[in-house]
């Protein structure tokens, strides 16, 4: 929601209307801080606003009913949390995103490896695949047998090329070139070139956060970390 005004106390904390109105509770609503110095708590959206969950459970009134906090209060509470802990939250989000990407690339490589192993079975007359084909050969037409044999032969002939490609991709993974592998395997496509508008305040904030000299040094100039952080920053 768009908030029109902040209290003097909120402004004195460092909150601004621009910062508060960038908060999107539908995208990510927790953790939040309702007061400076308070422990952070979690939100759960309900039909009339948000319920609040602490380490001891959901906040309830004296009659045992869940207390509902309105959207404005929760949006400011989320902004307050990010003002204090935003850097730490975004760094952790970037870490998780990079680990997820590594997992996706590895799963893709495992599928590639499995395809190679399957094709190798075509050459082995005692493999499970070959024995199954033999078992069903009597039920196949001549056309079906010819088709399967031709297909298998094509894949056997292409095996050296597949193995070479797999080894090259595995080598890139071992070197840690995750961004390159995300693109070449089709998992993710990176906008190229990445552009920033110098007259756009948010673009400049993101650029300085990710690509300033001090930021890149803190990430050891690791391209994977930088792009993971870039994608996280663009969500805030």
């Amino acid at each position: 929601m768009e908030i029109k005004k902040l209290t003097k106390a909120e402004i004195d904390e460092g909150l601004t209307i621009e910062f508060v109105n960038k908060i999107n509770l539908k995208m990510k609503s927790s953790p939040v801080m309702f007061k400076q110095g308070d422990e952070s708590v979690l939100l759960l959206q309900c039909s009339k606003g948000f319920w609040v969950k602490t380490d001891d459970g959901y906040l309830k009134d004296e009659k045992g009913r869940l207390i509902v906090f309105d959207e404005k209060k929760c949006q400011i509470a989320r902004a307050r949390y990010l003002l204090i802990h935003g850097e730490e939250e975004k760094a952790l989000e970037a870490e998780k995103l990079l680990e997820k990407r590594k997992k996706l690339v590895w799963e893709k490589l495992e599928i590639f490896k499995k395809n190679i192993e399957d094709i190798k079975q075509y050459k082995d007359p005692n493999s499970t695949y070959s024995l199954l084909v033999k078992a069903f050969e009597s039920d196949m037409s001549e056309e079906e047998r010819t088709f399967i044999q031709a297909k298998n032969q094509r894949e056997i002939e292409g095996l050296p090329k597949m193995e070479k490609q797999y080894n090259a991709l595995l080598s890139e993974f071992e070197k840690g070139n995750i961004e390159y592998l995300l693109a070449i395997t089709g998992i993710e496509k990176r906008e190229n070139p990445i552009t920033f508008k110098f007259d756009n305040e948010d673009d400049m904030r993101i650029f300085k956060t990710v690509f300033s000299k001090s930021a890149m040094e803190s990430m050891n100039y690791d391209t994977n970390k930088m792009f993971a952080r870039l994608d996280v920053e663009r969500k805030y």
Side-chain angles (χ1 to χ4, degrees):
M1 69 178 295
E2 185 179 1
I3 292 171
K4 302 290 186 183
K5 190 177 179 181
L6 296 175
T7 65
K8 183 180 182 303
E10 289 163 350
I11 293 169
D12 289 344
E13 290 180 48
L15 293 172
T16 66
I17 283 290
E18 292 76 20
F19 183 63
V20 169
N21 281 324
K22 282 179 184 174
I23 304 300
N24 185 346
L25 295 180
K26 290 180 182 176
M27 186 176 290
K28 186 171 173 59
S29 62
S30 296
V32 300
M33 288 174 64
F34 287 103
K35 288 181 183 176
Q36 266 191 329
D38 280 0
E39 290 293 319
S40 60
V41 293
L42 304 177
L43 299 179
L44 179 65
Q45 190 166 16
C46 62
S47 59
K48 294 182 180 178
F50 293 86
W51 294 320
V52 171
K53 185 176 184 295
T54 69
D55 290 339
D56 299 321
Y58 287 97
L59 293 183
K60 297 178 181 179
D61 61 20
E62 64 280 358
K63 293 182 179 179
R65 295 173 300 197
L66 291 170
I67 300 171
V68 176
F69 288 73
D70 66 52
E71 186 176 353
K72 178 182 177 181
K73 192 168 185 176
C74 292
Q75 188 168 323
I76 292 171
R78 175 68 178 147
R80 181 179 292 110
Y81 177 87
L82 288 176
L83 187 67
I84 299 169
H85 299 292
E87 174 61 27
E88 141 190 9
E89 177 178 298
K90 288 184 279 190
L92 184 58
E93 288 288 322
E95 226 175 275
K96 289 178 182 176
L97 179 58
L98 181 52
E99 287 307 308
K100 179 184 175 183
R101 285 173 168 168
K102 286 179 182 177
K103 185 180 177 185
L104 288 171
V105 170
W106 182 250
E107 287 171 353
K108 199 84 167 180
L109 291 178
E110 286 291 282
I111 291 169
F112 201 157
K113 182 181 177 183
K114 177 71 167 52
N115 289 340
I116 289 171
E117 290 170 351
D118 287 346
I119 293 169
K120 284 180 177 178
Q121 287 197 55
Y122 304 163
K123 299 165 69 174
D124 180 2
N126 296 314
S127 69
T128 304
Y129 174 82
S130 296
L131 294 173
L132 282 170
V133 170
K134 283 177 185 176
F136 289 104
E137 266 186 348
S138 59
D139 296 325
M140 293 180 191
S141 65
E142 183 63 31
E143 186 180 358
E144 287 172 327
R145 279 196 298 273
T146 302
F147 174 81
I148 289 173
Q149 288 167 3
K151 172 183 169 292
N152 290 352
Q153 187 57 36
R154 281 195 306 273
E155 293 187 345
I156 288 168
E157 288 170 2
L159 192 55
K161 184 179 179 181
M162 280 186 73
E163 290 181 308
K164 186 177 179 181
Q165 288 173 334
Y166 171 75
N167 289 330
L169 293 174
L170 182 61
S171 174
E172 293 297 329
F173 184 85
E174 289 169 347
K175 290 175 190 172
N177 294 330
I178 305 302
E179 274 292 318
Y180 167 75
L181 290 168
L182 286 168
I184 203 168
T185 58
I187 295 171
E188 286 185 17
K189 288 187 178 179
R190 176 72 59 193
E191 180 187 344
N192 191 25
I194 294 169
T195 56
F196 294 92
K197 295 177 182 176
F198 290 94
D199 59 348
N200 183 294
E201 186 182 331
D202 210 40
D203 270 14
M204 287 301 92
R205 174 190 65 80
I206 293 170
F207 179 81
K208 289 173 185 175
T209 302
V210 181
F211 296 112
S212 67
K213 187 172 185 292
S214 59
M216 290 193 291
E217 282 176 351
S218 72
M219 291 182 272
N220 299 316
Y221 294 92
D222 186 320
T223 304
N224 305 312
K225 289 181 180 179
M226 286 190 280
F227 281 115
R229 183 58 187 266
L230 172 65
D231 291 337
V232 167
E233 282 293 333
R234 283 179 166 165
K235 293 177 182 177
Y236 279 80

